[in-house]
Protein backbone atom coordinates (compact mmCIF):
# COMPACT_ATOMS: atom_id res chain seq x y z
CA UNK A 1 0.00 0.00 0.00
CA UNK A 2 2.82 2.38 0.91
CA UNK A 3 4.59 1.59 -2.36
CA UNK A 4 1.42 2.35 -4.33
CA UNK A 5 1.05 5.67 -2.47
CA UNK A 6 4.66 6.62 -3.19
CA UNK A 7 4.23 5.69 -6.85
CA UNK A 8 1.08 7.78 -7.07
CA UNK A 9 2.85 10.79 -5.55
CA UNK A 10 5.72 10.42 -8.00
CA UNK A 11 3.34 10.21 -10.93
CA UNK A 12 1.48 13.32 -9.72
CA UNK A 13 4.76 15.16 -9.23
CA UNK A 14 5.92 14.16 -12.71
CA UNK A 15 2.63 15.35 -14.23
CA UNK A 16 2.93 18.65 -12.38
CA UNK A 17 6.49 19.15 -13.66
CA UNK A 18 5.38 18.34 -17.21
CA UNK A 19 2.48 20.80 -16.92
CA UNK A 20 4.76 23.58 -15.65
CA UNK A 21 7.33 22.93 -18.38
CA UNK A 22 4.61 22.87 -21.04
CA UNK A 23 3.31 26.15 -19.66
CA UNK A 24 6.72 27.77 -19.99
CA UNK A 25 7.00 26.50 -23.56
CA UNK A 26 3.60 27.92 -24.51
CA UNK A 27 4.40 31.27 -22.87
CA UNK A 28 7.74 31.38 -24.69
CA UNK A 29 6.13 30.64 -28.03
CA UNK A 30 3.40 33.19 -27.36
CA UNK A 31 5.96 35.86 -26.55
CA UNK A 32 7.80 35.06 -29.79
CA UNK A 33 4.56 35.45 -31.77
CA UNK A 34 3.93 38.78 -30.01
CA UNK A 35 7.43 40.09 -30.79
CA UNK A 36 7.23 38.96 -34.42
CA UNK A 37 3.90 40.76 -34.81
CA UNK A 38 5.44 44.01 -33.55
CA UNK A 39 8.43 43.56 -35.86
CA UNK A 40 6.06 43.33 -38.83
CA UNK A 41 4.32 46.55 -37.74
CA UNK A 42 4.78 48.54 -34.56
CA UNK A 43 1.80 49.15 -32.32
CA UNK A 44 1.98 52.88 -33.02
CA UNK A 45 1.85 52.31 -36.78
CA UNK A 46 -0.92 49.73 -36.48
CA UNK A 47 -3.07 52.11 -34.44
CA UNK A 48 -2.36 54.94 -36.91
CA UNK A 49 -3.52 52.74 -39.79
CA UNK A 50 -6.84 52.18 -38.05
CA UNK A 51 -7.28 55.89 -37.28
CA UNK A 52 -6.86 56.72 -40.97
CA UNK A 53 -10.07 54.88 -41.91
CA UNK A 54 -12.67 57.16 -43.48
CA UNK A 55 -15.33 55.72 -41.19
CA UNK A 56 -13.27 56.11 -38.01
CA UNK A 57 -15.39 57.18 -35.02
CA UNK A 58 -13.90 59.00 -32.04
CA UNK A 59 -14.84 58.20 -28.45
CA UNK A 60 -16.63 61.53 -27.99
CA UNK A 61 -18.98 60.66 -30.88
CA UNK A 62 -20.23 57.50 -29.18
CA UNK A 63 -23.42 57.64 -27.08
CA UNK A 64 -22.72 57.01 -23.40
CA UNK A 65 -25.40 54.33 -23.36
CA UNK A 66 -23.65 52.47 -26.16
CA UNK A 67 -20.34 52.58 -24.27
CA UNK A 68 -22.10 51.28 -21.17
CA UNK A 69 -23.86 48.53 -23.14
CA UNK A 70 -20.64 47.25 -24.70
CA UNK A 71 -18.77 47.39 -21.42
CA UNK A 72 -21.54 45.58 -19.54
CA UNK A 73 -21.89 42.71 -21.97
CA UNK A 74 -18.27 42.32 -23.10
CA UNK A 75 -16.04 43.35 -20.18
CA UNK A 76 -17.69 44.69 -17.04
CA UNK A 77 -14.33 45.23 -15.27
CA UNK A 78 -12.84 47.05 -18.27
CA UNK A 79 -12.16 50.27 -16.37
CA UNK A 80 -10.41 48.52 -13.47
CA UNK A 81 -8.25 45.76 -14.99
CA UNK A 82 -4.87 46.23 -16.66
CA UNK A 83 -5.64 44.33 -19.84
CA UNK A 84 -6.46 40.88 -18.49
CA UNK A 85 -9.35 39.89 -16.22
CA UNK A 86 -8.22 36.91 -14.12
CA UNK A 87 -11.72 36.39 -12.72
CA UNK A 88 -13.20 36.11 -16.21
CA UNK A 89 -10.38 33.79 -17.32
CA UNK A 90 -10.93 31.42 -14.38
CA UNK A 91 -14.66 31.36 -15.07
CA UNK A 92 -14.03 30.68 -18.75
CA UNK A 93 -11.58 27.83 -18.00
CA UNK A 94 -14.14 26.16 -15.72
CA UNK A 95 -16.88 26.45 -18.34
CA UNK A 96 -14.55 25.22 -21.11
CA UNK A 97 -13.52 22.19 -19.04
CA UNK A 98 -17.15 21.37 -18.31
CA UNK A 99 -18.05 21.64 -22.00
CA UNK A 100 -14.81 19.99 -23.16
CA UNK A 101 -14.51 22.73 -25.78
CA UNK A 102 -13.70 26.44 -26.19
CA UNK A 103 -17.16 27.78 -25.34
CA UNK A 104 -16.03 30.88 -23.46
CA UNK A 105 -12.88 32.91 -23.94
CA UNK A 106 -12.72 35.27 -20.99
CA UNK A 107 -11.10 37.90 -23.20
CA UNK A 108 -11.27 41.54 -22.19
CA UNK A 109 -12.01 44.38 -24.59
CA UNK A 110 -8.25 45.06 -24.65
CA UNK A 111 -7.47 41.44 -25.56
CA UNK A 112 -10.12 41.48 -28.28
CA UNK A 113 -8.57 44.64 -29.68
CA UNK A 114 -5.14 42.96 -29.66
CA UNK A 115 -6.62 39.97 -31.49
CA UNK A 116 -8.30 42.11 -34.14
CA UNK A 117 -5.22 44.25 -34.68
CA UNK A 118 -2.71 41.42 -35.01
CA UNK A 119 -3.76 37.82 -34.47
CA UNK A 120 -7.00 36.99 -36.27
CA UNK A 121 -9.50 34.48 -34.96
CA UNK A 122 -7.49 31.28 -34.44
CA UNK A 123 -8.23 29.79 -31.01
CA UNK A 124 -5.00 28.27 -29.71
CA UNK A 125 -3.01 28.79 -26.52
CA UNK A 126 0.02 30.30 -28.26
CA UNK A 127 -2.09 33.00 -29.88
CA UNK A 128 -3.91 33.64 -26.61
CA UNK A 129 -0.60 34.20 -24.83
CA UNK A 130 0.58 36.57 -27.59
CA UNK A 131 -2.74 38.37 -27.24
CA UNK A 132 -2.11 38.86 -23.50
CA UNK A 133 1.33 40.37 -24.10
CA UNK A 134 -0.16 42.72 -26.70
CA UNK A 135 -2.98 43.65 -24.33
CA UNK A 136 -0.45 44.68 -21.69
CA UNK A 137 1.32 46.75 -24.36
CA UNK A 138 -1.93 48.48 -25.29
CA UNK A 139 -2.74 49.28 -21.67
CA UNK A 140 0.74 50.76 -21.12
CA UNK A 141 0.52 53.04 -24.13
CA UNK A 142 -3.13 54.05 -24.43
CA UNK A 143 -5.92 55.25 -22.16
CA UNK A 144 -9.09 53.25 -21.60
CA UNK A 145 -10.99 55.69 -23.79
CA UNK A 146 -8.49 55.25 -26.62
CA UNK A 147 -8.61 51.46 -26.29
CA UNK A 148 -12.40 51.43 -26.39
CA UNK A 149 -12.39 53.80 -29.34
CA UNK A 150 -10.02 51.58 -31.29
CA UNK A 151 -11.99 48.48 -30.34
CA UNK A 152 -15.29 49.67 -31.84
CA UNK A 153 -13.44 50.72 -34.99
CA UNK A 154 -12.06 47.25 -35.72
CA UNK A 155 -14.73 44.78 -34.57
CA UNK A 156 -17.05 43.03 -37.00
CA UNK A 157 -20.80 43.67 -36.81
CA UNK A 158 -21.92 41.31 -39.57
CA UNK A 159 -23.21 42.12 -43.06
CA UNK A 160 -19.77 43.40 -44.09
CA UNK A 161 -19.64 46.14 -41.43
CA UNK A 162 -16.21 46.28 -39.78
CA UNK A 163 -16.64 49.26 -37.48
CA UNK A 164 -19.34 50.98 -35.46
CA UNK A 165 -19.94 53.79 -37.98
CA UNK A 166 -20.50 51.37 -40.86
CA UNK A 167 -22.80 49.21 -38.73
CA UNK A 168 -24.75 52.22 -37.47
CA UNK A 169 -25.26 53.50 -41.00
CA UNK A 170 -25.92 50.07 -42.50
CA UNK A 171 -28.46 48.88 -39.95
CA UNK A 172 -30.10 52.16 -38.96
CA UNK A 173 -29.09 54.81 -41.51
CA UNK A 174 -27.57 56.95 -38.75
CA UNK A 175 -24.30 58.25 -37.36
CA UNK A 176 -23.26 56.56 -34.08
CA UNK A 177 -24.01 59.69 -32.05
CA UNK A 178 -27.64 59.58 -33.23
CA UNK A 179 -28.38 56.05 -31.99
CA UNK A 180 -31.38 55.51 -29.72
CA UNK A 181 -31.35 53.35 -26.57
CA UNK A 182 -32.91 50.51 -28.53
CA UNK A 183 -30.32 50.81 -31.31
CA UNK A 184 -27.38 51.13 -28.91
CA UNK A 185 -28.28 47.96 -27.03
CA UNK A 186 -29.03 46.00 -30.18
CA UNK A 187 -25.74 47.01 -31.78
CA UNK A 188 -23.75 46.20 -28.63
CA UNK A 189 -24.79 42.56 -28.75
CA UNK A 190 -23.91 41.77 -32.36
CA UNK A 191 -20.06 41.41 -32.28
CA UNK A 192 -20.23 38.41 -29.92
CA UNK A 193 -21.33 36.32 -32.90
CA UNK A 194 -21.98 38.53 -35.95
CA UNK A 195 -23.17 35.75 -38.26
CA UNK A 196 -25.72 34.73 -35.63
CA UNK A 197 -26.85 38.06 -34.19
CA UNK A 198 -26.92 40.28 -37.30
CA UNK A 199 -30.52 41.59 -37.22
CA UNK A 200 -30.88 41.23 -40.98
CA UNK A 201 -30.05 37.52 -40.73
CA UNK A 202 -31.66 36.36 -37.46
CA UNK A 203 -33.88 39.07 -35.94
CA UNK A 204 -35.21 36.72 -33.26
CA UNK A 205 -31.72 35.76 -32.09
CA UNK A 206 -30.59 39.39 -32.27
CA UNK A 207 -33.50 40.31 -30.00
CA UNK A 208 -32.58 37.57 -27.52
CA UNK A 209 -29.01 38.80 -27.46
CA UNK A 210 -30.28 42.35 -26.90
CA UNK A 211 -32.18 41.12 -23.83
CA UNK A 212 -28.90 39.70 -22.52
CA UNK A 213 -27.28 43.11 -23.01
CA UNK A 214 -30.11 44.75 -21.08
CA UNK A 215 -29.78 42.20 -18.27
CA UNK A 216 -26.07 42.87 -17.98
CA UNK A 217 -26.62 46.64 -18.02
CA UNK A 218 -29.17 46.34 -15.23
CA UNK A 219 -26.83 44.10 -13.22
CA UNK A 220 -24.00 46.62 -13.66
CA UNK A 221 -26.21 49.51 -12.58
CA UNK A 222 -26.30 51.29 -15.94
CA UNK A 223 -30.07 50.88 -16.29
CA UNK A 224 -32.88 50.55 -13.77
CA UNK A 225 -35.25 47.61 -14.14
CA UNK A 226 -37.89 50.01 -15.46
CA UNK A 227 -35.52 51.48 -18.07
CA UNK A 228 -34.41 48.03 -19.21
CA UNK A 229 -38.03 46.90 -19.46
CA UNK A 230 -38.93 49.95 -21.56
CA UNK A 231 -36.17 49.19 -24.08
CA UNK A 232 -37.16 45.51 -24.12
CA UNK A 233 -40.78 46.45 -24.86
CA UNK A 234 -39.64 48.67 -27.74
CA UNK A 235 -37.56 45.80 -29.11
CA UNK A 236 -40.53 43.41 -28.89
CA UNK A 237 -42.83 45.86 -30.67
CA UNK A 238 -40.36 46.48 -33.50
CA UNK A 239 -39.77 42.73 -33.87
CA UNK A 240 -43.52 42.19 -34.33
CA UNK A 241 -43.73 44.98 -36.90
CA UNK A 242 -40.85 43.55 -38.90
Amino acid sequence: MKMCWKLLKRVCLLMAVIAVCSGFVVVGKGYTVYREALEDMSLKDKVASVQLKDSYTEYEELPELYIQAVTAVEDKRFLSHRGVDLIAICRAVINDVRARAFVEGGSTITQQLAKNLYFGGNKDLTRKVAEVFMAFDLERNYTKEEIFELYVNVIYFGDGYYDVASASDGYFGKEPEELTEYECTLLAGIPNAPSVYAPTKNPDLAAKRQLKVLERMEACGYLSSEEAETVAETAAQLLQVN
Side-chain angles (χ1 to χ4, degrees):
M1 186 68 181
K2 288 184 178 180
M3 290 184 64
C4 289
W5 179 244
K6 288 182 179 179
L7 180 60
L8 179 60
K9 288 198 294 185
R10 289 176 181 175
V11 170
C12 290
L13 179 60
L14 178 60
M15 291 177 65
V17 171
I18 292 173
V20 170
C21 292
S22 299
F24 279 120
V25 170
V26 171
V27 170
K29 288 182 177 179
Y31 181 76
T32 299
V33 171
Y34 154 73
R35 291 304 309 171
E36 289 175 346
L38 288 179
E39 288 173 7
D40 287 340
M41 180 176 285
S42 71
L43 185 56
K44 182 179 179 180
D45 289 342
K46 180 69 76 171
V47 167
S49 70
V50 174
Q51 293 171 330
L52 287 174
K53 292 169 61 176
D54 292 337
S55 57
Y56 190 82
T57 303
E58 296 184 354
Y59 186 85
E60 292 74 18
E61 299 173 280
L62 298 169
E64 183 178 4
L65 190 81
Y66 174 70
I67 296 170
Q68 293 171 340
V70 173
T71 303
V73 77
E74 292 291 342
D75 185 3
K76 67 180 181 180
R77 284 177 284 273
F78 173 63
L79 295 177
S80 60
H81 65 62
R82 301 299 297 274
V84 174
D85 186 345
L86 294 179
I87 296 175
I89 289 176
C90 290
R91 183 190 65 239
V93 169
I94 292 171
N95 290 335
D96 288 347
V97 170
R98 286 175 178 171
R100 297 182 181 180
F102 281 111
V103 296
E104 187 174 339
S107 294
T108 63
I109 284 175
T110 314
Q111 285 176 267
Q112 292 179 57
L113 173 59
K115 177 189 72 175
N116 280 280
L117 288 177
Y118 283 102
F119 305 116
N122 295 325
K123 288 188 175 182
D124 62 74
L125 288 176
T126 298
R127 194 271 296 166
K128 291 293 289 184
V129 171
E131 184 182 290
V132 168
F133 280 116
M134 193 65 72
F136 288 148
D137 217 354
L138 282 162
E139 293 277 346
R140 282 194 299 269
N141 290 281
Y142 298 93
T143 66
K144 290 291 186 178
E145 289 78 8
E146 290 170 331
I147 289 170
F148 189 94
E149 178 180 301
L150 289 164
Y151 169 73
V152 298
N153 279 283
V154 297
I155 52 175
Y156 185 51
F157 289 86
D159 273 8
Y161 307 133
Y162 285 89
D163 54 68
V164 66
S166 298
S168 179
D169 181 54
Y171 289 128
F172 309 118
K174 296 180 176 181
E175 297 294 326
E177 59 190 342
E178 300 171 326
L179 294 173
T180 65
E181 293 181 345
Y182 161 76
E183 292 161 348
C184 283
T185 52
L186 180 63
L187 204 60
I190 298 173
N192 179 261
S195 61
V196 176
Y197 298 129
T200 52
K201 299 291 191 298
N202 300 298
D204 290 336
L205 293 178
K208 289 181 179 179
R209 176 63 178 169
Q210 184 177 23
L211 289 178
K212 179 66 175 179
V213 174
L214 292 169
E215 289 174 6
R216 293 302 312 142
M217 292 185 74
E218 185 179 344
C220 292
Y222 293 131
L223 291 177
S224 66
S225 58
E226 292 79 11
E227 290 170 330
E229 186 175 346
T230 298
V231 179
E233 288 174 355
T234 300
Q237 292 169 359
L238 290 173
L239 186 61
Q240 289 178 351
V241 171
N242 296 328

